[in-house]
Amino acid sequence: MLSYFDWVLIFVIIQQCQAFIRVSQHDCNQYKIRKLHHSSTAFFISSSSSSALSSPLYGQRNNDDNHDKQDNNEGTTAMTTTTPSRKSDAITLQRQAEALRSEALMMEKMLNDTKAEKIRKETEKIEHWIEQLLLVDTAAGAGSSSSSEVQILNTKERAAQIMQEERFSAEQINKIFYYICNTSSKQSIDNHSPLIELLLEAACKVDCLEREKNPNKRWNHRVERDLRKKLFAMGWNIHLEDDDDYGFERFN
């Protein structure tokens, strides 16, 4: 007859066998499920690929690619045909630019020639004023040729009289002053040429006249005072506004 201990041992063995059977059945079921899942996935992929290849959308994409290639070919052909036209346009523009450049250079030359001619005429006019106002031409002596002439200065009274009779203005006197300064050595209040000194003394005599007694109504400045200020500035290298107006070339 079995003891209590034997019956407990038999019960434990039966429980372990039942547990083993349940685990085995679970593993078998999981294996079948995985196998079925892999089979369905493979089938879905193969069917999707075949349907995509045979679908109208795939065929439309191929047609679109063909159309794009055709459009690119047409664009290349159009570019090839328009390239000579662009080249000819560039040549035409280059020729027009060269013509405009030549015309601009010609106009610049004409302006320079006109400016040079204007300066030449102005110089001749100022030289004539200097000869008329400050200088007296006399023959050097008997038997001498006409080319051997000397120039002597007018007196300050005669120069002042000419300033009144010939209606010299302050503008003309300034032009004479700056012309002498530009064509001689550096001038200053203490060291200036005899022509400048005569111009100052004659201008001073006209400045001292009463306006009613001066027949030259164009004389409306204190010319001698202004000229001495300019001489002082020249001696100390002081820039004045009139220096630019009359084209004074300062000596450094």
Side-chain angles (χ1 to χ4, degrees), residues 2-10:
L2 298 175
S3 63
Y4 177 77
F5 179 78
D6 293 333
W7 283 108
V8 173
L9 180 63
I10 292 171

Side-chain angles (χ1 to χ4, degrees), residues 161-194:
Q161 183 182 0
I162 295 174
M163 286 181 182
Q164 299 175 59
E165 293 176 353
E166 299 297 331
R167 304 294 192 272
F168 274 85
S169 65
E171 178 77 11
Q172 290 174 286
I173 301 301
N174 276 311
K175 288 183 178 181
I176 293 172
F177 173 81
Y178 278 105
Y179 180 82
I180 296 173
C181 292
N182 282 333
T183 55
S184 59
S185 58
K186 182 177 180 179
Q187 306 292 314
S188 66
I189 193 69
D190 297 324
N191 185 17
H192 47 269
S193 68

Side-chain angles (χ1 to χ4, degrees), residues 26-244:
H26 180 73
D27 293 339
C28 182
N29 292 332
Q30 290 294 328
Y31 174 74
K32 290 180 180 180
I33 292 172
R34 286 197 298 270
K35 186 176 181 182
L36 180 61
H37 177 71
H38 287 305
S39 299
S40 61
T41 303
F43 174 76
F44 176 76
I45 292 174
S46 61
S47 61
S48 298
S49 300
S50 61
S51 61
L53 292 173
S54 61
S55 63
L57 181 60
Y58 182 79
Q60 184 178 358
R61 176 61 182 274
N62 289 334
N63 292 332
D64 292 341
D65 292 340
N66 293 331
H67 285 304
D68 293 340
K69 291 180 180 179
Q70 185 177 358
D71 293 339
N72 290 333
N73 293 332
E74 292 177 356
T76 304
T77 304
M79 186 180 297
T80 305
T81 55
T82 56
T83 299
S85 176
R86 292 181 180 178
K87 185 176 182 180
S88 62
D89 292 342
I91 294 174
T92 302
L93 291 175
Q94 184 178 3
R95 291 176 179 175
Q96 291 178 355
E98 291 177 354
L100 290 174
R101 189 180 298 109
S102 301
E103 185 177 355
L105 291 175
M106 186 180 299
M107 292 180 64
E108 183 180 2
K109 184 177 182 301
M110 291 175 61
L111 289 174
N112 291 334
D113 293 342
T114 303
K115 184 177 180 181
E117 181 65 17
K118 183 179 179 181
I119 293 175
R120 185 187 65 80
K121 290 182 178 180
E122 184 71 12
T123 301
E124 290 180 354
K125 185 167 58 176
I126 295 174
E127 289 176 350
H128 172 70
W129 292 341
I130 292 174
E131 293 176 358
Q132 180 184 13
L133 182 62
L134 303 178
L135 301 177
V136 177
D137 294 331
T138 58
S144 61
S145 62
S146 58
S147 60
S148 58
E149 294 180 350
V150 294
Q151 292 178 326
I152 61 175
L153 298 179
N154 272 324
T155 61
K156 58 183 180 181
E157 290 79 8
R158 176 57 184 163
Q161 183 182 0
I162 295 174
M163 286 181 182
Q164 299 175 59
E165 293 176 353
E166 299 297 331
R167 304 294 192 272
F168 274 85
S169 65
E171 178 77 11
Q172 290 174 286
I173 301 301
N174 276 311
K175 288 183 178 181
I176 293 172
F177 173 81
Y178 278 105
Y179 180 82
I180 296 173
C181 292
N182 282 333
T183 55
S184 59
S185 58
K186 182 177 180 179
Q187 306 292 314
S188 66
I189 193 69
D190 297 324
N191 185 17
H192 47 269
S193 68
L195 289 174
I196 294 292
E197 181 63 26
L198 176 58
L199 190 66
L200 291 172
E201 291 179 353
C204 180
K205 291 187 69 68
V206 180
D207 285 341
C208 292
L209 290 175
E210 296 291 338
R211 186 170 181 78
E212 293 78 10
K213 296 181 180 180
N214 187 1
N216 184 4
K217 303 305 179 184
R218 300 176 64 190
W219 196 274
N220 54 3
H221 288 79
R222 301 292 294 179
V223 178
E224 186 259 349
R225 180 194 61 190
D226 294 342
L227 294 182
R228 291 193 181 276
K229 287 181 179 179
K230 293 171 184 177
L231 279 175
F232 178 83
M234 289 179 184
W236 292 95
N237 289 328
I238 300 173
H239 179 77
L240 298 177
E241 186 176 355
D242 285 349
D243 295 347
D244 297 329

Side-chain angles (χ1 to χ4, degrees), residues 11-24:
F11 178 77
V12 172
I13 293 172
I14 293 172
Q15 291 292 329
Q16 290 180 352
C17 290
Q18 290 178 351
F20 178 76
I21 292 171
R22 285 195 300 269
V23 171
S24 299

